[in-house]
Amino acid sequence: MSSDTAYSPSLARAATGFPWAGYLLGFALGGFFDGILLHQVLQWHHLLSAVESSAVQDIRVQILADGLFHAAMYVVAVVGLWLLWRSRRRFVEPGADRLLFANALIGFGVWHILDGVLSHWILGLHRIRMDSANPLLWDLL
């Protein structure tokens, strides 16, 4: 067996790390998109907007929860960047840029599906437009 075809644990990790780098970076970007655009810029909701508790309804607690959420997204992004760095040898492969972009789009989509199903419908933490007469329509959009 030649050295080119020999099994290498570091090459195997790079092969599996590259797709996960894209997934995690896309997931983090989805979270940042939600948190920055919907929580901060448009102010349509906060992470815990639908939680009915006087302690949680304090805007300072809402902003703290949003900040902790952003910190968690930073951790996900850093792990994605670390995996991307570890698999940097794959950058020279044909189509590596398209694969990374496609995996990031998948991660972005997974974020929105998880957020919609888990945060909006199962846990009921918030909806996209808290002041809407038809919040399901906004969640689906």
Side-chain angles (χ1 to χ4, degrees):
M1 181 178 261
S2 74
S3 63
D4 291 340
T5 59
Y7 174 76
S8 168
S10 64
L11 289 176
R13 281 192 301 274
T16 59
F18 189 72
W20 276 100
Y23 300 144
L24 292 176
L25 289 170
F27 190 87
L29 287 172
F32 287 135
F33 174 83
D34 179 283
I36 293 168
L37 183 65
L38 302 179
H39 296 206
Q40 295 173 330
V41 175
L42 297 174
Q43 298 179 17
W44 285 355
H45 68 262
H46 294 285
L47 183 65
L48 303 175
S49 291
V51 176
E52 301 203 13
S53 164
S54 59
V56 174
Q57 288 305 310
D58 182 346
I59 192 65
R60 294 172 298 183
V61 174
Q62 292 285 335
I63 292 171
L64 174 63
D66 288 347
L68 293 173
F69 163 74
H70 278 111
M73 290 300 103
Y74 273 113
V75 169
V76 172
V78 166
V79 171
L81 288 171
W82 178 74
L83 288 172
L84 189 61
W85 180 79
R86 291 211 34 186
S87 59
R88 65 193 176 277
R89 291 185 182 126
R90 297 226 20 218
F91 293 163
V92 297
E93 294 177 7
D97 55 344
R98 290 189 308 267
L99 178 63
L100 183 64
F101 184 69
N103 290 340
L105 286 177
I106 291 169
F108 191 86
V110 166
W111 158 257
H112 284 88
I113 291 169
L114 263 175
D115 180 48
V117 172
L118 189 62
S119 297
H120 300 189
W121 301 334
I122 294 175
L123 297 176
L125 298 177
H126 64 265
R127 304 300 286 268
I128 295 294
R129 288 290 304 260
M130 293 298 294
D131 59 350
S132 172
N134 190 357
L136 179 59
L137 174 67
W138 284 96
D139 287 347
L140 294 174
L141 289 174

